Amino acid sequence: MLEFADTQGFVFSGYLHKPFASYLLLKVTDRERAQVFLRDLCQLVTTGNDRPREACLNIALSAAGLSALGLPEDAFQTFPLEFREGMAGSETRSRALGDTDSNDPNHWRWGRPNDRVHVLLMIFAQDEAVLERLVTAQRNAFAGALSVAYERRTAALPDRKEHFGFTDGIAQPIIEGSGQE
């Protein structure tokens, strides 16, 4: 039995009806304040049970983010090596992913080997005004705790295309027990 209330909503949906989005890549600048911000943010995260009309908010943490937030090393070591190293964690990983030559991680805008992103805050909204209001509110909430490494704003494409150009619903894996076909 899936625990929809404990699973973020974007696992089940590309949010087709929330065509405007902001992806905020963040770095922890004050561990304690970031921990408080994230604890409070949990109340706003859209779950698999939620069907908000105006907006959805989801979050992801990188391995570097878990470390920056103070996850104990013994707990950190329980994660797979690929996650702990990250996409730019080693030359071996870069070669395996095809990130060499001009695609080498040292050329990336963000997420370079010595410049890791800690948190991804994803905000999806029904219109640009709602998106702007929510992004401003979150920027105010995390001020002094996290800094913005990069922000990407997007709008969904026509013909049931989600923000990255995929047809909504088929880019998501179907999870047994989700009720999706």
Side-chain angles (χ1 to χ4, degrees), residues 30-40 68-71 145:
D30 182 314
R31 176 183 288 179
E32 290 180 9
R33 290 175 70 183
Q35 290 169 340
V36 170
F37 166 74
L38 291 170
R39 183 195 66 222
D40 294 345
L69 289 164
L71 182 72

Side-chain angles (χ1 to χ4, degrees), residues 122-135:
M122 300 165 276
I123 303 172
F124 305 89
Q126 68 180 8
D127 62 48
E128 288 182 272
V130 170
L131 180 65
E132 187 60 39
R133 178 175 48 85
L134 294 173
V135 168

Side-chain angles (χ1 to χ4, degrees), residues 74-144:
D74 59 329
F76 184 75
Q77 291 300 320
T78 65
F79 289 95
L81 176 64
E82 294 82 359
F83 176 73
R84 293 190 320 255
E85 283 188 347
M87 292 176 61
S90 71
E91 286 186 35
T92 303
R93 178 100 34 249
S94 293
R95 280 194 309 276
L97 295 171
D99 293 330
T100 59
D101 302 321
S102 64
N103 294 322
D104 185 278
N106 288 303
H107 300 298
W108 295 355
R109 285 188 192 162
W110 50 268
R112 291 178 298 280
N114 295 316
D115 190 25
R116 301 288 176 92
V117 172
H118 299 144
V119 177
L120 169 60
L121 178 59
M122 300 165 276
I123 303 172
F124 305 89
Q126 68 180 8
D127 62 48
E128 288 182 272
V130 170
L131 180 65
E132 187 60 39
R133 178 175 48 85
L134 294 173
V135 168
T136 298
Q138 289 309 309
R139 281 178 173 269
N140 290 335
F142 67 66

